[in-house]
Amino acid sequence: MHNTINNADKTAAAEAVRKDIPLLRGGGVHYLDNAATALMPQVVTDATAGYDNNNRANIGRGLHKFAEVADARYGESRRALARLLNAADDEVIFTSGASAGLNLLAAALGQTLSPADAVVLSIAEHHSNIVPWQIAAKRYGFSLRFAAIDKSGAIDIGDLSRQNADGRARVFSLTNASNVSGAINNIGKMAKAARAHNDNAIIIIDGAQYAPHYPAGLAATLAATLGEDAADFYVFSGHKCYAPNGIGILCGRRAALESLPPVIGGGGAVNSVREDDYDMAAIPRRLEVGTPPITQAIGLAAAMQWAVNIPAAARQNANDLATMARQGLREIKGVRVLFDIGGDDNNNDNDKKGEGFLPIISFTMDNVHPHDCCQLLSAHNVAARGGNMCAEPLMRRVSPNGCVRVSIAPYNNAADITAMLDGVRETAKLLGR
Amino acid sequence: MTGLYHGDIISLARANINAGVLPNAPMAKQTNPWCGDECTISAAFDNGRIVKSLHQTRGCILCLAAAAKATTIATQLGDPSQFLALANTLAKTLQDNTPPESLELPKGLTLPEGLELFTPAIPAKNRHNCILLPFQALTELIQTQNI
């Protein structure tokens, strides 16, 4: 699909989004670290402060009227997020983030696996979608396999299928989009490839990077029924979705969630407790232990509502800025853009095709450590990320010394990219040779 | 340009001073998981004194410069306990935002030349570990020697 929105409209749309972000209102801040944490719009801060200042009470436990109001607000938040995900209310589990969700799944599903089984990840996974499986594999004896990526950084679908040629892989846990390359992986294609040799393979999708960019696309991520070529479980983090820290979502169909053996327990997750046994509650409670992150859940619902309403023009602007960044970086001597396959087809139809790239650009500089580049960028008020991106298996293959990453959101503008490029040029002049 | 990257520290980092590995010598390695800096120190001892020290460092300018300085200081001081005292004091002064030239050193220890190069890094707390990594590696090495 060709981009038909003109540049002036895209810029205007981005500026309107930018006005929602208090941290950007003063000017002079070039925040390009959105893949690490996104900035919060005022409406989210208002929602959380509103709850804390006016409705704060514990939920699910109190019989007083304040608790009833808090219960209602918390329930509304879950309902709103469930609608976004095309899920039932009880199919949305609040966690502390994508990492917590993946840890829960690995710990639970790991119990069901034996040394005869395998779990397939990809080489592009974040540590939070590798280490929990490694821990479980050591405990329960199953093997881990890693699907390769292609030169764009996307998971190689052919290799994904080959990883289960013997039919032993029972779980596939894969990223919806890489936090290094930005390459988007089509969930349907991954699920189909994963189940080519095992109809019952469980598909877990890490949506931490994808969710903030295409919140409207989340409705299509989850399988309507078990076995459909979609995700059985989908996780993402609130803080990357313009929401507070400490909140995330694990979403799954009821049958899939109910099949998870218990790995956590305590108040709220049980119906009753005796000295010799316990009776677990139904979902979602059985997977949410203790007093939940009420404030943060309310903030997440407000954030996703805001994100869904970001104009397409602003998202297209973000993709255009990624193109601008990529082209500018290519022109600086000593800079190598990682996973640069040439051209700039950012595919603004990502919602439908589920492919293409997020506006994330990772690069290296000859003779310059990423840490030094980021420090010098900081002198230009540019926030970028340097290091291994919590993706060491991937980085060991493409750049053992790490890289610099800039990640763009709908509230960024051309001045942000210009400042970044100026900073990289200065770094090259000072430290490169 | 940030003062952190002044000419002297860049020159020190690029000079490859004491870069390498001592064959058959005790070694210690420290890594910073946040940024990927790695520093492996090898040192030769004679009668309990450090007589030579080299480093293999993959890291940023600060880490490279600190590795050059740490290995040079270790050999200049010779006395492992003095190096440990200095490394400990350096860590504390970075933490307390005190310039190295204001270091309160243990009795009998004089400030080695060149540590003032790192003074501009003091406000950048997220870079302190880059500077300390080689000192930590040498500290670990000394502590394993039972001297």
Side-chain angles (χ1 to χ4, degrees):
Chain A
M1 172 176 151
H2 291 290
N3 177 4
T4 55
I5 304 177
N6 70 51
N7 289 338
D9 286 345
K10 284 191 271 188
T11 304
E15 286 305 312
V17 174
R18 197 175 177 88
K19 287 194 173 83
D20 288 347
I21 311 293
L23 196 144
L24 299 178
R25 284 178 190 157
V29 173
H30 308 294
Y31 189 80
L32 293 172
D33 199 18
N34 297 286
T37 286
L39 302 180
M40 280 204 329
Q42 185 73 54
V43 292
V44 174
T45 316
D46 290 346
T48 55
Y51 163 74
D52 279 331
N53 291 337
N54 302 315
N55 303 130
R56 189 173 171 88
N58 208 331
I59 59 108
R61 292 157 175 80
L63 299 174
H64 48 82
K65 60 184 176 184
F66 309 105
E68 284 178 4
V69 172
D71 261 325
R73 296 230 28 212
Y74 183 68
E76 279 157 19
S77 298
R78 191 192 300 274
R79 199 160 306 120
L81 289 158
R83 279 199 299 270
L84 189 69
L85 288 152
N86 196 24
D89 291 4
D90 61 358
E91 293 175 329
V92 169
I93 313 297
F94 286 121
T95 64
S96 63
S99 296
L102 291 164
N103 269 275
L104 192 154
L105 288 169
L109 291 169
Q111 292 183 39
T112 69
L113 302 176
S114 75
D117 300 320
V119 168
V120 177
L121 312 175
S122 86
I123 213 69
E125 299 307 318
H126 188 280
H127 290 171
S128 290
N129 199 25
I130 297 176
V131 179
W133 298 105
Q134 290 172 325
I135 291 171
K138 283 184 181 175
R139 185 169 290 150
Y140 300 109
F142 59 86
S143 58
L144 281 182
R145 301 172 181 175
F146 290 84
I149 54 171
D150 63 26
K151 59 183 180 179
S152 76
I155 293 173
D156 183 322
I157 295 294
D159 195 58
L160 189 64
S161 178
R162 280 191 293 277
Q163 290 299 330
N164 199 20
D166 59 7
R168 287 173 51 194
R170 289 182 49 199
V171 176
F172 288 71
S173 193
L174 304 163
T175 183
N176 203 170
S178 166
N179 70 324
V180 177
S181 68
I184 299 172
N185 300 302
N186 182 289
I187 296 176
K189 287 182 182 174
M190 289 197 291
K192 196 174 174 109
R195 293 199 175 112
H197 306 286
N198 181 354
D199 289 343
N200 298 318
I202 294 169
I203 311 296
I204 298 168
I205 299 294
D206 173 6
Q209 294 296 329
Y210 182 88
H213 292 279
Y214 297 102
L218 295 180
T221 58
L222 211 56
T225 56
L226 288 173
E228 191 186 22
D229 283 338
D232 295 306
F233 299 100
Y234 195 88
V235 302
F236 63 94
S237 291
H239 71 97
K240 294 192 204 293
C241 290
Y242 323 104
N245 295 334
I247 186 79
I249 296 287
L250 158 60
C251 188
R253 287 301 168 217
R254 191 173 292 114
L257 289 167
E258 285 173 344
S259 72
L260 293 174
V263 289
I264 51 174
V270 290
N271 286 329
S272 68
V273 178
R274 300 173 301 285
E275 288 91 338
D276 62 343
D277 207 353
Y278 58 89
D279 179 27
M280 292 299 278
I283 56 160
R285 283 173 50 215
R286 68 186 292 156
L287 296 173
E288 296 177 350
V289 179
T291 297
I294 307 164
T295 310
Q296 291 83 350
I298 288 168
L300 177 57
M304 294 306 281
Q305 187 60 40
W306 178 83
V308 162
N309 288 315
I310 291 174
R315 274 206 281 275
Q316 285 179 16
N317 190 64
N319 284 335
D320 289 351
L321 293 178
T323 299
M324 177 184 170
R326 213 173 273 119
Q327 284 174 345
L329 286 167
R330 283 176 188 145
E331 289 168 7
I332 302 174
K333 192 176 172 199
V335 171
R336 179 172 70 100
V337 177
L338 300 181
F339 303 105
D340 190 1
I341 55 172
D344 287 295
D345 180 11
N346 285 310
N347 187 359
N348 282 314
D349 199 20
N350 283 344
D351 271 334
K352 297 199 181 82
K353 285 181 67 176
E355 290 169 11
F357 291 87
L358 300 181
I360 290 174
I361 305 102
S362 296
F363 61 94
T364 61
M365 298 180 69
D366 288 346
N367 212 42
V368 179
H369 193 277
H371 229 191
D372 293 318
C373 178
C374 288
Q375 188 82 52
L376 285 161
L377 286 175
S378 182
H380 287 254
N381 291 328
V382 175
R385 178 61 52 125
N388 286 324
M389 310 301 156
C390 290
E392 276 191 67
L394 174 64
M395 292 311 299
R396 214 169 277 122
R397 282 161 168 77
V398 300
S399 180
N401 286 337
C403 66
V404 179
R405 180 188 70 191
V406 295
S407 43
I408 299 163
Y411 42 69
N412 285 119
N413 59 23
D416 297 333
I417 305 303
T418 300
M420 182 273 293
L421 292 172
D422 286 346
V424 173
R425 272 190 284 270
E426 183 179 300
T427 302
K429 194 172 163 193
L430 181 68
L431 299 179
R433 63 175 180 216
Chain B
M1 174 183 69
T2 175
L4 196 60
Y5 292 98
H6 52 90
D8 291 339
I9 205 153
I10 297 173
S11 299
L12 179 61
R14 299 275 192 240
N16 281 333
I17 293 169
N18 298 329
V21 179
L22 282 171
N24 304 315
M27 292 167 60
K29 180 178 175 180
Q30 288 276 327
T31 58
N32 185 341
W34 294 112
C35 66
D37 285 352
E38 283 181 5
C39 183
T40 304
I41 301 278
S42 51
F45 295 82
D46 186 12
N47 276 337
R49 294 182 65 81
I50 302 168
V51 294
K52 194 166 174 67
S53 179
L54 298 182
H55 70 92
Q56 252 190 337
T57 304
R58 190 180 78 188
C60 61
I61 291 283
L62 293 180
C63 194
L64 287 165
K69 197 44 72 176
T71 48
T72 300
I73 289 170
T75 312
Q76 283 172 347
L77 289 174
D79 182 347
S81 65
Q82 286 200 337
F83 181 86
L84 291 179
L86 176 75
N88 192 44
T89 308
L90 179 63
K92 285 193 60 177
T93 55
L94 286 174
Q95 188 181 334
D96 296 341
N97 285 347
T98 311
E101 52 265 36
S102 306
L103 278 182
E104 214 171 284
L105 295 170
K107 198 176 172 186
L109 186 65
T110 52
L111 179 72
E113 193 183 307
L115 279 180
E116 70 281 356
L117 289 177
F118 300 104
T119 299
I122 287 175
K125 282 194 175 297
N126 62 349
R127 305 304 299 279
H128 290 180
N129 281 340
C130 304
I131 298 166
L132 293 173
L133 200 75
F135 288 90
Q136 288 163 350
L138 240 170
T139 295
E140 182 187 321
L141 194 159
I142 290 169
Q143 286 171 342
T144 62
Q145 294 307 298
N146 296 319
I147 293 165

